[in-house]
Amino acid sequence: MTQHASPDAAPRHRTVAFSGLSLRYPARAARSGLLLLLAIAVTTVAGLLIGDYDITVGETLQAAVARGDDPLAIYFVHDVRAPRVLTALVVGAALGMAGSLFQNITGNPLGSPDIIGFTTGAATGALVQIIVVGASTHAVGIGALVGGFLTAAVVLGLACSSGLDGGRLVLVGIGVGAALGALNSLLIVRASLVTAQTAAQWLAGSLNAVLWPRASLVMIAVAVLTVPALLLSRPLGMLALGDDSCAAVGIPVRRIRLGAVLTGVALVSVATAATGPIAFVALAAPQLARRLAAVPTPGLVGSALMGALLVQVSDLVAQRLFAPTELAVGVVTGAVGGLYLVALLAGEWRRNHA
Amino acid sequence: MAEPAAAELRRSVPRLAPGPVLLMLGLTTLVVTAGLSLFLGSNAIGAQETWRLLWHPDGSVASGVIHDQRVPRTVLTGAVGAALGLAGALMQALTRNPLAEPGLLGINAGASLAVVLAVAVAGVSGLWFYLWFAFLGAAVTAVAVYLLAGVGHASATPVRLALAGVAVTAALTALVQAVILTDQVAFNEFRFWVVGSTEGRGWDVLQVVGPFLLAGAALALLLGPALNALALGDDTAQALGVRLARVRTASMLAATLLCGAATAAVGPIAFVGLAVPLAARGMVGPDQRWIGVLSLVLGAAWLMVADVLSRIVIAPQEVQVGVVAALLGAPVFVAIVSRRRVVAL
């Protein structure tokens, strides 16, 4: 029998103590978090550095803070590449956090916002703007935001009539999502070919032409939403013990769950409004982070870091793979995330059969 | 002493409707919808006339409409709906996840990729070619998911199978998007294929997929008792003499045959394979044998109703049956799941 760290085994903890105060943390999760941070730092610099305008690393870092004597470098790095990289990181983190929140609420790896209808609802809002109204990019984002929140209101209204139950929330979400998905297909089938293609472009998710105004809006919104997400993550992890046990130790189960749903929906809607629905990140990031850290439930911070890394790497690939033709980032996240998950599963399989 | 205690226990368990009653109800619905499907359409033919022409074809236009279009279409729709319902029941039992659906095997994504490549690379188009490409794509993908999830080994877990399916689906969907975003012709063909439609499909399609559907259905129904044992947990099932690897392999084979053939016939139809077995389980309880049979009947009825509606809502034009199946099914589904406590797997 070979020993290996199964994700379901209890994680090993380390403790640090300073004069009476002590912090206990899972050792492998902390290591994997540092690893992810390092990877994010490297890919961020790569995102600022790589492009058709050649500059050195030193010049890039100078230009990123709008210093240096090359106005073109400042334009490309500070005005074009920096907002794009930051948006990729922030949107990825938002999707990762939302996925982690939903997977904890539902206790199901398939219970992510892509599957339970919120992303579909945001897409419906945007498609109505693109196909029916024929609106500008700006209005499409607003449509997505409104669509996401309306969907959430409908799902919550239907699922909460007799208390919020994670399982029921998912199923009602899937039902509503199916209806909206059908509506989306109907809109695309009945639109003209050109409009339908614009819609398909938006549906693939893209970071092309993201500039500072949009980037700063997204960053502020996600920063604000991170606060409740962090506060909720610890009691939410305890919900895995069962509602009764949680209520017995004084956790307001219902309020925690409702808060988590609202935060998760807000995160997904903001991310989708900014870039279109970037596929698979919310589902895969928590599962990937969980496997990397060998912890039993997907943690919030790990999922956020993994989501950010996933989107940033995907965007690099999307920009450079067939340069100068840019792919949609959502196309690449599906491929990168899917292949990474395939590799992880295959690795686990090999360890079990070595 | 034991007798009254047992009676007490029986009373305290909420009584679900018994299987045979539900099955009769389901079959009645099926017959009625099949009748409606023959009778309703953009050509107005009276009920009596329909009945007469059904048994005595006279070579008239109306007779042609009924025998060449409505009868094959009704049979095909019923077969596809039944296959999707049964495949969904199988997948939910196999992964022990109520959110599992036949598409989780990667079948829809695999079929989609094959169709898109057929148009973009091979340059072929037309339902007949799509059928073969879709079936091939579905089968190859299902084998990949099977290998990746390690289903043939006793150590495979339900979550692993679900994740393997999701991962493969995501990777393939990404490829599909990459192709349709760059190739306008492929995109145009794909957007109509992907909604799922029974329009203009007849005996020729049924002849190809029929044997696969029958084989899959027979295998799936035979697996009922073994899946019941599997629901008790892997260890208990093994102790009861179930060969885990063999049952899982057979289940995936059956689901692939059913869903692959259905998708090849009419395109990917979402939601039926998920919602029908869930509803069946809610009605009949956890016995997989009844869930299977009931899913088969209800799946057929559901898709037939959707097909009838798809012909008449904006007649003489048609809406795609996949769209109607979801728009019609979703409210019913939501009503079911928000009323009663969902029966966990």
Side-chain angles (χ1 to χ4, degrees):
Chain A
M1 207 50 210
T2 49
Q3 287 275 319
H4 65 91
S6 133
D8 295 321
R12 195 177 304 151
H13 284 71
R14 291 254 168 75
T15 312
V16 281
F18 313 93
S19 61
L21 285 174
S22 71
L23 177 69
R24 187 169 170 272
Y25 63 91
R28 183 159 165 187
R31 269 206 306 282
S32 71
L34 282 177
L35 207 68
L36 284 174
L37 271 180
L38 195 69
I40 289 174
V42 171
T43 49
T44 302
V45 174
L48 294 173
L49 182 68
I50 299 173
D52 289 334
Y53 186 76
D54 279 330
I55 33 178
T56 65
V57 181
E59 282 169 344
T60 306
L61 293 178
Q62 259 188 344
V65 286
R67 300 269 159 99
D69 40 7
D70 182 353
L72 264 182
I74 292 179
Y75 169 73
F76 279 118
V77 175
H78 179 263
D79 295 348
V80 177
R81 293 180 196 163
R84 180 173 185 146
V85 169
L86 284 175
T87 310
L89 294 177
V90 168
V91 164
L95 290 173
M97 283 193 282
S100 153
L101 288 175
F102 276 110
Q103 291 182 15
N104 273 319
I105 298 165
T106 58
N108 192 326
L110 298 186
S112 75
D114 318 19
I115 293 189
I116 60 182
F118 298 122
T119 320
T120 322
T124 308
L127 285 182
V128 167
Q129 291 279 33
I130 296 174
I131 294 175
V132 183
V133 184
S136 66
T137 325
H138 210 64
V140 171
I142 295 171
L145 214 55
V146 173
F149 274 99
L150 276 183
T151 312
V154 170
V155 170
L156 281 176
L158 286 168
C160 287
S161 50
S162 52
L164 185 55
D165 164 339
R168 184 181 297 137
L169 176 79
V170 173
L171 290 174
V172 170
I174 286 183
V176 173
L180 290 170
L183 205 58
N184 290 356
S185 330
L186 198 62
L187 283 171
I188 289 192
V189 168
R190 299 199 85 79
S192 74
L193 182 55
V194 175
T195 321
Q197 242 181 346
T198 314
Q201 292 280 2
W202 186 85
L203 279 178
S206 171
L207 287 159
N208 296 351
V210 175
L211 296 176
W212 274 116
R214 205 174 346 155
S216 12
L217 268 180
V218 181
M219 281 195 291
I220 293 167
V222 173
V224 169
L225 289 168
T226 305
V227 177
L230 279 174
L231 290 177
L232 285 164
S233 75
R234 210 178 157 84
L236 201 58
M238 293 179 73
L239 287 186
L241 300 174
D243 288 8
D244 294 342
S245 319
C246 286
V249 295
I251 295 173
V253 176
R254 237 193 224 199
R255 223 180 306 155
I256 294 292
R257 212 172 258 151
L258 187 64
V261 171
L262 291 178
T263 314
V265 170
L267 282 167
V268 172
S269 302
V270 166
T272 308
T275 59
I278 297 185
F280 202 53
V281 176
L283 194 152
Q287 290 299 315
L288 293 172
R290 188 185 84 103
R291 281 175 157 68
L292 195 66
V295 289
T297 52
L300 188 80
V301 179
S303 307
L305 293 176
M306 183 60 88
L309 181 64
L310 212 54
V311 175
Q312 173 54 20
V313 169
S314 301
D315 191 41
L316 277 180
V317 176
Q319 283 181 70
R320 301 313 304 177
L321 188 61
F322 296 113
T325 314
E326 287 196 15
L327 291 172
V329 68
V331 169
V332 185
T333 50
V336 169
L339 291 179
Y340 187 19
L341 195 52
V342 165
L344 268 183
L345 289 170
E348 269 178 26
W349 190 87
R350 261 202 309 280
R351 274 200 301 280
N352 287 342
H353 293 269
Chain B
M1 278 305 278
E3 199 68 14
E8 184 77 17
L9 188 66
R10 265 205 297 279
R11 262 199 301 280
S12 66
V13 175
R15 195 83 184 100
L16 296 158
V21 175
L22 287 168
L23 186 60
M24 287 313 295
L25 278 174
L27 283 174
T28 316
T29 322
L30 193 60
V31 171
V32 172
T33 46
L36 283 176
S37 173
L38 293 177
F39 163 58
L40 290 170
S42 46
N43 267 304
I45 306 172
Q48 276 180 339
E49 181 75 357
T50 309
W51 185 252
R52 190 181 64 77
L53 287 173
L54 191 60
W55 302 110
H56 309 286
D58 59 5
S60 64
V61 175
S63 168
V65 166
I66 288 174
H67 282 274
D68 300 338
Q69 293 179 13
R70 292 191 192 165
V71 172
R73 183 170 170 167
T74 304
V75 176
L76 183 67
T77 310
V80 166
L84 290 175
L86 188 55
L90 218 51
M91 287 305 293
Q92 290 177 7
L94 183 63
T95 58
R96 264 183 257 148
N97 192 327
L99 306 190
E101 47 137 1
L104 202 58
L105 283 170
I107 284 177
N108 291 347
S112 298
L113 183 60
V115 167
V116 163
L117 288 179
V119 182
V121 180
V124 298
S125 65
L127 290 181
W128 188 250
F129 289 105
Y130 296 163
L131 183 129
W132 288 105
F133 274 96
F135 207 12
L136 191 71
V140 170
T141 319
V143 170
V145 171
Y146 171 90
L147 290 176
L148 183 65
V151 176
H153 296 262
S155 64
T157 63
V159 172
R160 224 182 119 75
L161 176 57
L163 284 179
V166 171
V168 170
T169 302
L172 292 181
T173 309
L175 289 178
V176 171
Q177 277 189 318
V179 177
I180 60 173
L181 287 179
T182 47
D183 188 327
Q184 204 177 36
V185 179
F187 172 70
N188 202 24
E189 289 286 326
F190 180 72
R191 68 178 173 145
F192 289 103
W193 180 81
V194 79
V195 227
S197 170
T198 45
E199 197 176 355
R201 270 101 161 161
W203 293 122
D204 48 347
V205 171
L206 203 61
Q207 250 169 17
V208 176
V209 297
F212 296 106
L213 290 177
L214 285 179
L219 186 56
L221 291 176
L222 286 175
L223 282 167
L227 290 174
N228 271 342
L230 214 60
L232 300 173
D234 290 354
D235 294 342
T236 316
Q238 224 158 7
L240 286 172
V242 172
R243 299 186 194 182
L244 291 181
R246 203 179 283 183
V247 169
R248 288 206 185 103
T249 305
S251 304
M252 280 204 58
L253 178 65
T256 308
L257 285 173
L258 287 168
C259 182
T263 306
V266 300
I269 288 188
F271 197 54
V272 176
L274 173 82
V276 165
L278 261 173
R281 178 180 295 273
M283 284 190 266
V284 80
D287 189 337
Q288 191 60 36
R289 292 169 298 181
W290 280 114
I291 295 176
V293 175
L294 207 57
S295 299
L296 188 127
V297 174
L298 291 181
W302 185 324
L303 207 60
M304 274 194 200
V305 173
D307 188 44
V308 171
L309 283 177
S310 76
R311 281 180 248 167
I312 56 178
V313 275
I314 53 165
Q317 275 186 302
E318 291 209 11
V319 193
Q320 283 72 14
V321 64
V323 171
V324 181
L327 282 179
L328 170 78
V332 180
F333 177 75
V334 168
I336 292 176
V337 296
S338 60
R339 285 272 166 73
R340 62 169 75 222
R341 236 194 112 61
V342 179
V343 187
L345 281 176

